[in-house]
Amino acid sequence: MITSAPIGIFDSGYGGLTVLKEIKKLLPDYDYLYLGDNARSPYGARSFETVYDYTLQCVKWLFAQGCPLIILACNTASAKALRTIQQKYLPVHHPEKRVLGVIRPTAEIIGNYSSSKHIGILGTKGTVQSDSYLIEIANFFPDAKVYQHASPMWVPLVENNEYTDSGADYFIKKDIDILLNKSPKIDTILLACTHYPLLLEKINQFLPENIKVVSQGPIVAGSLADYLKRHPEMEARCSKQRNLQFFTTDAPSDFDKHSEIFFGEKVNSRHVNL
Ligand code: DGL
């Protein structure tokens, strides 16, 4: 009997699809099961307790579907829930399974993009308030100076498909200016939110040419490939039939309609009640 053991990819909503898109490009042979908690998204401004509760429910559901490994493809969930899941939940309930996030793999590498070692971070309020990037980047690049700014209007601009409109310009320029005003030496900006890569074209319009913008999808994909190489026992447990499944806690018709802009191709999702 062939049993399916897909890699679980979780996000509060659609944003994680920008990460799955890159993972699938780099590692096409694996099975993936995507869960978007659209009914309760956005997570960006929610408390630690709430983000932890919601994320844990989703992690439990993905484990119940047979996932041996889950990627929290959401910065807010990685910032507010991952550590407690790894340190408190997994050792007691699933010592043989793993949950990974997007912050550490990004922090490991982001300093290499910057010559000045002055790095700007844009994310949700929750991600910025958690200081997760400050703490993680300091571990890998102790000399780097990190400046953060929350841009909470950017997620709704993307979710409501208003992000290419001229109305979006005001919020994009405003948040970039606030970040850049923190230091004239910033030469690299990390988009530390899964939605923001969709705004790349607009972001670049408002940035001086010498400033690099970094999206996380390719970084997280590369880091997963590396993880699977370093953990052959986990790699062997992940099934490889190129099967892709999508689940949402909200209406599948809405999910399917909005997903294409994040994933680059049509998806067929199913509803799940958590
Ligand atoms: N996926 C979230 C993140 O990367 C953004 C959307 C939300 O606030 O739920 O932080």
Side-chain angles (χ1 to χ4, degrees):
M1 189 176 87
I2 301 171
T3 49
S4 168
I7 297 174
I9 309 286
F10 165 72
D11 182 47
S12 55
Y14 303 111
L17 291 168
T18 60
V19 177
L20 176 57
K21 183 179 167 189
E22 299 300 329
I23 291 177
K24 187 181 152 251
K25 213 188 281 173
L26 191 66
L27 300 165
D29 292 336
Y30 295 91
D31 296 336
Y32 298 101
L33 198 166
Y34 184 91
L35 173 61
D37 191 10
N38 297 78
R40 300 184 293 197
S41 87
Y43 282 11
R46 295 194 190 276
S47 68
F48 267 90
E49 292 75 17
T50 302
V51 172
Y52 176 69
D53 285 349
Y54 288 178
T55 305
L56 184 60
Q57 278 179 28
C58 294
V59 162
K60 284 180 180 171
W61 183 81
L62 286 164
F63 280 159
Q65 310 314 304
C67 299
L69 171 66
I70 296 171
I71 310 294
L72 301 186
C74 172
N75 281 275
T76 310
S78 297
K80 292 189 156 183
L82 179 63
R83 187 175 291 260
T84 316
I85 289 174
Q86 285 175 334
Q87 294 181 352
K88 302 222 164 103
Y89 179 75
L90 284 185
V92 177
H93 299 278
H94 296 283
E96 74 300 347
K97 300 197 177 197
R98 291 291 173 268
V99 181
L100 308 174
V102 292
I103 296 180
R104 191 190 157 121
T106 310
E108 272 176 13
I109 209 172
I110 191 70
N112 298 337
Y113 289 83
S114 170
S115 311
S116 67
K117 297 287 180 271
H118 284 243
I119 299 162
I121 308 276
L122 290 167
T124 64
K125 220 166 101 190
T127 299
V128 167
Q129 278 173 352
S130 75
D131 279 342
S132 300
Y133 276 100
L134 290 186
I135 297 162
E136 292 281 357
I137 294 174
N139 286 332
F140 297 102
F141 300 94
D143 298 333
K145 293 252 176 304
V146 180
Y147 308 87
Q148 313 186 86
H149 175 61
S151 28
M153 289 304 290
W154 292 16
V155 168
L157 284 174
V158 173
E159 297 253 324
N160 292 293
N161 216 359
E162 294 286 341
Y163 66 103
T164 52
D165 204 72
S166 57
D169 293 11
Y170 169 79
F171 291 105
I172 294 173
K173 182 172 176 351
K174 178 178 157 215
D175 286 324
I176 286 174
D177 287 349
I178 293 173
L179 180 67
L180 292 183
N181 278 337
K182 291 177 190 271
S183 166
K185 290 193 189 162
I186 293 174
D187 69 349
T188 303
I189 294 181
L190 170 68
L191 303 182
C193 172
T194 50
H195 281 59
Y196 297 175
L198 272 89
L199 299 167
L200 198 57
E201 211 171 290
K202 283 245 183 240
I203 293 169
N204 278 323
Q205 270 174 31
F206 297 112
L207 277 182
E209 264 181 19
N210 62 319
I211 299 188
K212 254 181 253 125
V213 185
V214 180
S215 300
Q216 282 179 307
I219 296 175
V220 175
S223 160
L224 176 59
D226 182 56
Y227 176 87
L228 292 171
K229 227 179 260 162
R230 288 185 292 106
H231 296 87
E233 73 299 341
M234 176 56 82
E235 198 283 333
R237 287 169 64 196
C238 299
S239 55
K240 296 170 205 71
Q241 294 162 62
R242 297 184 170 229
N243 188 16
L244 264 183
Q245 299 177 75
F246 298 89
F247 285 85
T248 173
T249 55
D250 209 342
S253 53
D254 283 345
F255 188 88
D256 296 354
K257 198 162 95 200
H258 285 102
S259 289
E260 206 172 339
I261 56 166
F262 294 88
F263 194 53
E265 54 186 275
K266 281 207 182 314
V267 312
N268 240 324
S269 66
R270 282 176 273 169
H271 176 75
V272 58
N273 257 333
L274 294 180

